[in-house]
Amino acid sequence: MAQLARFGVVGAVGFVVDTGIFNVLRATVLSPDEVHSGPFWAKVVSTIVAIFVNWMGNRYWTFREQRRAVATREGIEFIVVSLGGMVISLGCLGVSHYVLGLTSALADNISGNVIGLVLGTVFRFWLYKVWVYHPERGHDRAVPAAETTGSTAGSEVVGQ
């Protein structure tokens, strides 16, 4: 439950970042009045920024016990899963805005930032838990700070 709560807090911060950037871009440089596909591109940009914010929060707080010493592979897997969540949000936004013709800012926010976010969050949490940060994949886990302090006698090399 604590891990799910931390995931929720990180997600809430990511939501504020995502929604804020989306709405600023949609109202300014990517306004649908100026750029036909503006809401779509605003969502892409806002989601990419939120992915970075969420990765940092999840890596160093939510899943800190399962993170790996080398962030590259974990980061790539995190991005792949997050892009899957972005596709879900973009799909919801696309259906609402371009198929159903619901083009108001409110409709775009409900479809992309509420419905798409809920569906994408379930998808992401499940894959983060079973793939990216799965405990059995911890053979190359990072050593928690508490284990790196003190005597080095009898220490083992992490990741082997």
Side-chain angles (χ1 to χ4, degrees):
M1 285 306 286
Q3 188 176 55
L4 184 59
R6 289 190 303 265
F7 183 78
V9 170
V10 170
V13 171
F15 173 77
V16 169
V17 168
D18 190 355
T19 304
I21 291 173
F22 172 77
N23 282 296
V24 167
L25 291 174
R26 190 192 182 287
T28 59
V29 296
L30 293 174
S31 166
D33 297 333
E34 303 296 323
V35 180
H36 175 70
S37 59
F40 179 86
W41 291 111
K43 189 66 182 160
V44 169
V45 171
S46 69
T47 302
I48 289 171
V49 173
I51 285 171
F52 177 76
V53 169
N54 288 342
W55 182 49
M56 298 308 287
N58 282 314
R59 175 170 171 73
Y60 292 104
W61 192 41
T62 306
F63 299 104
R64 67 182 176 265
E65 291 86 18
Q66 291 101 349
R67 75 174 188 249
R68 291 184 228 141
V70 180
T72 306
R73 182 171 165 190
E74 177 186 288
I76 291 168
E77 291 171 357
F78 189 92
I79 289 169
V80 167
V81 172
S82 296
L83 290 175
M86 181 176 77
V87 167
I88 292 169
S89 287
L90 289 173
C92 293
L93 175 63
V95 168
S96 172
H97 192 95
Y98 300 106
V99 176
L100 300 177
L102 303 171
T103 59
S104 71
L106 178 62
D108 286 350
N109 275 284
I110 290 172
S111 62
N113 294 325
V114 176
I115 297 168
L117 180 74
V118 168
L119 296 175
T121 297
V122 170
F123 170 82
R124 286 189 305 269
F125 182 76
W126 175 68
L127 278 176
Y128 293 155
K129 186 88 173 147
V130 302
W131 184 44
V132 179
Y133 297 109
H134 191 277
E136 291 180 10
R137 298 183 75 200
H139 65 278
D140 60 344
R141 282 187 23 221
V143 177
E147 292 179 22
T148 60
T149 59
S151 173
T152 58
S155 64
E156 297 177 13
V157 176
V158 175
Q160 292 186 349

